[in-house]
Amino acid sequence: MTVDSFEGKLAVVTGGGSGMGRELARQLAAQGCSVAACDWDAEGIAETAALAQAEAPDGVLVTGHACDVSDEAQVLRFRDELLAQHATGHVDLVFSNAGIGGGGSFVTGSREEWERTFAVDWWGVYYCARAFVPLLIAGGDGVLVNTSSLNGIWATLGPSSPNTAYSAAKFAVRGFSEALIEDLRTNAPGVRVAVVFPGHVGTDIVANSLRAHGEDPAHLGGAALEDIRAALTGAGALAKDASDDQVRQFLVQANTDFRDKAPLTAAEAATIILDGVRSGAWRILIGEDASMVDALVRAKPEASYDYAELFKDAAQAASGDTPSGDSA
């Protein structure tokens, strides 16, 4: 089922305060689609709504809503607000895009951080599906677009860099979305689901994730600073005798580099998502890194976490050597 045009439709976008969510809201509005966007950052979502509204043609309404998607009561309040403000009883598109990082280690990390990350990244998608799928069905047709991740394909950031809470949540999003394909086909044939797998996209997720956990990267202290110091020194990113200020400076610079040196901008990623939705795709890979890891893991599933073996052929190809063709 393809989408010929977004014009005249109503889209819900979570995590709309920055990054891909902001760009989805802006591009949808510019194409004539009304948008209800939410984010836990009230200032960020207000700015998104103003930007998107300014770029929208006449007749398009963009609303911004403060909402922490890990809290079902807030999700339901968001739903009720947007139905009232848009004077409607249905929605046409739902982009469950909100997400944060954190909870890298299940073994040594903070349980609170682990569960906060998992709650936003998984329960947020689940609560939004519960709230909005009935409204997609009420419209007669619609699309639910859930954002997983490259880490919903490959559950690590590489050697000495566990990423357990985020990866577990993104695998849950992937599994839920794939399971909905037959469920919707059988029980709500007018509605379809798509799942998005972004690789490295230029956003402020590093800094935003720390803020979502109650920390400011420029003023980090206490146990949070020590946990991050341990993770960074363990991965060889910082010297063991790095000062507190050096840890903070590293985090600020890491966020800037992650955003500004990414192979894809948030705007480019949003365009790929919307093109995929328009074409009827159910599986949307974003970036060469996501496509590469997807292909490697499919080709060598048993070597997924044997990094030397998994990336052997890719490294040989990059160096000009002929791949051996061996498989794990």
Side-chain angles (χ1 to χ4, degrees), residues 272-320:
I272 293 169
I273 294 170
L274 294 181
D275 286 347
V277 171
R278 193 182 288 107
S279 73
W282 72 264
R283 194 169 188 270
I284 303 170
L285 293 164
I286 299 181
E288 293 183 5
D289 51 351
S291 295
M292 179 189 71
V293 169
D294 178 60
L296 291 173
V297 168
R298 286 172 177 271
K300 297 182 176 183
E302 290 297 325
S304 293
Y305 304 102
D306 179 347
Y307 307 123
E309 177 62 27
L310 182 67
F311 292 103
K312 179 176 67 177
D313 292 348
Q316 289 174 334
S319 67

Side-chain angles (χ1 to χ4, degrees), residues 128-139:
C128 286
R130 284 291 184 193
F132 293 113
V133 166
L135 299 179
L136 291 170
I137 295 171

Side-chain angles (χ1 to χ4, degrees), residues 159-229:
S160 302
S161 299
N163 197 27
T164 63
Y166 186 83
S167 297
K170 293 302 185 177
F171 265 84
V173 172
R174 172 187 175 180
F176 175 60
S177 301
E178 293 194 22
L180 280 178
I181 292 173
E182 185 57 40
D183 194 357
L184 292 171
R185 180 187 292 152
T186 301
N187 296 301
V191 178
R192 66 179 175 89
V193 64
V195 59
V196 179
F197 299 94
H200 183 184
V201 175
T203 71
D204 285 310
I205 191 172
V206 175
N208 286 344
S209 295
L210 283 168
R211 294 188 184 104
H213 290 293
E215 302 290 348
D216 181 342
H219 302 93
L220 197 66
L225 184 141
E226 294 308 317
D227 287 345
I228 290 175
R229 184 203 306 279

Side-chain angles (χ1 to χ4, degrees), residues 13-18 21-22 25 35-53 62-67 78 97:
V13 179
T14 72
S18 64
R22 172 171 288 180
V35 178
C38 78
D39 200 282
W40 67 270
D41 178 1
E43 291 184 5
I45 198 61
E47 183 178 354
T48 294
L51 288 168
Q53 188 69 72
V62 180
T63 57
H65 308 257
C67 174
F78 168 45
N97 165 80

